[in-house]
């Protein structure tokens, strides 16, 4: 509601919003409105490339944006092509060459297509960066180049930047490349929706985790619902999935970057259709995975950054529904104690006494606490 009218005026927009709040529609609708006022892509102008580019950090998110965009674009006669890793680059280049108004891409694959001259962006004056903070972590800031010709021709690019968090690198990118942007903040930067109940369980021994995990899954699966279990590494995801299978959980599937794209797509589709009721994943599933009715997100391992925690638990409590997130916390996670405690307090969630008392939760990492003056 806040962002769409601004987009219709072709204002540059920075959108900071809690996960699951409808960011995709907020940039897709103004983008399609803009394109519908331009000449259709035809044999005369198809060689100049698309009118708009949407960049997303992961294949899954790019494909999900494509799916949502096509719902609106199809009846407008607007053609949408996604280009992501894991699929034939020649085939994707051929689709672009046939003409399309919108390209949805991961940054690496888009750069490959441009370098191989499989794609050009001569008439692209509408750019969307979805989950900008993650793409910056992956080196996007070094890859962005301003097109100086835009100013000479008095043609201005409309740029949308969306994210659930606003780290300094995103602010820097916005300052350099956006033109007098409007900042739309829904909730607080880096927070999650109030519909998610956050539980943090302090774990004293690593061996306690698996039994607690089984108890949590039994509750969810007993109600015929689904759960996502996050681990920090691909190795731990595979170990955890095998352990669950050996313990009688026969509808468990994995998602991480070592899987072939076809396998990732198949696994995700199986989870969405509830053929599988437990998804064990790395942060490859932390963003852009929109699965209806995920009842419980379980952080088997706490991520090292609070931004990743925010996105992980945002896989539940989406589109106005309630959700539950449980996180196992150990003394190996002290680097994130301060930020986690702050987030729990902001969301009116319970803070475990061990976390509240711990010295690491009282000061932001890298800062030196004030010490009382010495008395002679």
């Amino acid at each position: 509601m806040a962002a769409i009218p601004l987009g219709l005026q072709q204002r540059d927009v920075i959108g900071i919003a809690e996960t699951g709040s409808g960011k995709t529609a907020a940039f897709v609708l103004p983008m399609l409105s803009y394109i519908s006022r331009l000449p259709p892509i035809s044999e005369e102008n198809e060689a100049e490339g698309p009118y708009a580019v949407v960049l997303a950090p992961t294949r899954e998110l790019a494909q999900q944006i494509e799916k949502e965009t096509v719902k609106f674009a199809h009846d407008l006669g607007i053609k949408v092509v996604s280009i992501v890793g894991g699929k034939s680059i020649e085939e994707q280049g051929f689709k672009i060459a046939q003409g399309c108004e919108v390209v949805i891409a991961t940054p690496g694959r888009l750069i490959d297509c441009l370098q191989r001259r499989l794609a050009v962006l001569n008439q692209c004056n509408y750019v969307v960066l979805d989950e900008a903070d993650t793409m910056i972590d992956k080196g996007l800031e070094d890859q962005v180049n301003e097109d100086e010709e835009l100013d000479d021709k008095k043609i201005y690019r409309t740029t949308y930047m969306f994210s659930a968090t606003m780290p300094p690198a995103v602010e820097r990118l916005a300052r350099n490349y956006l033109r007098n942007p409007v900042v739309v903040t829904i909730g607080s930067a880096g927070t999650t929706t109030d519909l998610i109940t956050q539980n943090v369980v302090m774990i004293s021994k690593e061996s306690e985790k698996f039994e607690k995990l089984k108890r949590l899954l039994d509750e969810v699966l007993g109600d015929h619902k689904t759960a996502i279990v996050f681990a920090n590494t691909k190795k731990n995801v595979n170990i955890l999935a095998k352990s669950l299978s050996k313990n009688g959980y026969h509808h468990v599937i994995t998602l991480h970057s070592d899987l072939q794209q076809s396998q990732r797509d198949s696994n995700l589709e199986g989870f969405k259709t509830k053929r599988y009721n437990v998804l064990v994943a790395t942060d490859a599933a932390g963003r852009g995975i929109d699965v209806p009715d995920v009842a419980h997100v379980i952080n088997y391992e706490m991520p090292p950054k609070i931004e990743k925690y925010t996105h992980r638990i945002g896989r539940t409590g989406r589109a106005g529904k309630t959700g539950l997130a449980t996180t196992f916390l150990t003394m190996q996670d002290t680097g994130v104690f301060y930020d986690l405690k702050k987030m729990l307090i902001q969301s009116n969630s319970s803070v475990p006494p061990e976390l509240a008392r711990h010295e690491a939760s009282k000061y932001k990492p890298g800062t030196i606490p004030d010490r009382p003056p010495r008395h002679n």
Side-chain angles (χ1 to χ4, degrees):
M1 285 170 59
I4 287 172
L6 296 167
L8 292 174
Q9 297 170 32
Q10 284 182 245
R11 292 290 305 274
D12 283 6
V13 175
I14 300 171
I16 305 296
E18 58 198 19
T19 56
S21 57
K23 294 195 291 287
T24 307
F27 65 74
V28 165
L29 296 178
M31 176 179 72
L32 296 181
S33 174
Y34 161 76
I35 291 170
S36 67
R37 298 193 297 271
L38 299 174
I41 295 290
S42 62
E43 290 183 2
E44 284 73 39
N45 62 358
E46 64 186 22
E48 299 299 307
Y51 287 136
V53 166
V54 180
L55 290 177
T58 66
R59 304 169 190 176
E60 284 75 21
L61 180 53
Q63 289 171 328
Q64 183 175 297
I65 294 169
E66 178 191 23
K67 181 180 175 183
E68 298 303 317
T69 305
V70 166
K71 289 178 183 177
F72 298 102
H74 180 265
D75 289 337
L76 294 171
I78 293 174
K79 191 174 176 185
V80 181
V81 171
S82 71
I83 53 173
V84 298
K87 297 189 175 181
S88 166
I89 190 169
E90 290 78 13
E91 187 178 317
Q92 292 171 348
F94 178 70
K95 285 182 180 178
I96 296 172
Q98 285 184 307
C100 63
E101 282 85 359
V102 181
V103 164
I104 299 169
T106 49
R109 177 49 61 98
L110 178 62
I111 289 168
D112 286 346
C113 285
L114 293 171
Q115 290 176 342
R116 295 191 193 190
R117 302 184 185 278
L118 296 172
V120 296
L121 299 175
N122 292 346
Q123 58 186 0
C124 176
N125 293 319
Y126 203 106
V127 178
V128 177
L129 306 177
D130 196 14
E131 305 292 13
D133 52 346
T134 297
M135 291 193 288
I136 285 170
D137 286 344
K138 294 182 177 182
L140 176 73
E141 192 174 10
D142 299 330
Q143 298 164 345
V144 174
N145 289 308
E146 180 67 82
D147 187 344
E148 298 298 339
E149 293 181 8
L150 290 180
D151 285 335
D152 296 339
K153 295 177 181 177
K154 294 292 181 263
I155 297 172
Y156 294 105
R157 182 187 63 216
T158 300
T159 307
Y160 256 64
M161 287 178 64
F162 275 90
S163 184
T165 61
M166 189 70 168
V170 172
E171 292 187 31
R172 188 164 57 244
L173 195 70
R175 195 165 53 245
N176 290 340
Y177 297 108
L178 271 66
R179 179 172 45 93
N180 192 24
V182 182
V183 180
V184 177
T185 303
I186 308 300
S188 302
T191 63
T192 56
T193 170
D194 293 338
L195 296 170
I196 301 173
T197 301
Q198 299 176 58
N199 294 330
V200 173
V201 179
M202 298 300 298
I203 303 287
S204 55
K205 295 179 182 176
E206 194 71 23
S207 56
E208 295 175 15
K209 278 187 177 181
F210 194 69
E211 289 305 314
K212 289 182 184 294
L213 174 64
K214 289 196 295 182
R215 283 201 291 275
L216 292 175
L217 289 179
D218 288 343
E219 291 174 15
V220 175
L221 306 184
D223 291 334
H224 305 289
K225 294 178 180 176
T226 57
I228 301 178
V229 181
F230 282 103
N232 291 342
T233 66
K234 292 170 278 193
K235 179 182 177 183
N236 288 353
V237 163
N238 290 333
I239 291 171
L240 196 50
K242 284 180 183 176
S243 298
L244 287 171
S245 295
K246 286 180 183 176
N247 279 266
Y249 299 87
H250 299 304
H251 299 281
V252 177
I253 205 71
T254 61
L255 187 69
H256 54 69
S257 59
D258 271 0
L259 296 174
Q260 294 287 330
Q261 186 60 42
S262 58
Q263 189 64 56
R264 287 167 71 163
D265 293 344
S266 174
N267 288 3
L268 191 54
E269 187 60 29
F271 184 64
K272 285 182 176 180
T273 57
K274 298 191 177 179
R275 202 153 34 96
Y276 303 101
N277 51 20
V278 179
L279 176 68
V280 185
T282 60
D283 286 302
R287 295 175 183 243
I289 302 300
D290 188 17
V291 180
D293 305 323
V294 173
H296 204 154
V297 167
I298 302 167
N299 285 308
Y300 193 78
E301 296 177 313
M302 176 71 192
K305 291 186 177 180
I306 199 66
E307 290 85 2
K308 290 185 177 181
Y309 169 86
T310 303
H311 286 288
R312 284 183 183 184
I313 69 172
R315 298 313 100 201
T316 186
R318 299 179 71 80
K321 295 177 181 174
T322 57
L324 177 62
T326 299
T327 299
F328 296 159
L329 202 64
T330 73
M331 290 304 157
Q332 305 298 314
D333 305 313
T334 52
V336 79
F337 274 17
Y338 174 85
D339 288 328
L340 179 60
K341 176 184 169 184
K342 183 179 174 183
M343 177 171 281
L344 292 173
I345 292 170
Q346 284 177 343
S347 61
N348 295 317
S349 300
S350 176
V351 180
E354 302 98 314
L355 174 60
R357 289 195 303 263
H358 198 281
E359 198 68 18
S361 74
K362 297 174 183 176
Y363 307 103
K364 194 165 184 65
T367 63
I368 300 173
D370 292 331
R371 295 182 180 176
R374 278 187 187 173
H375 297 287
N376 293 329

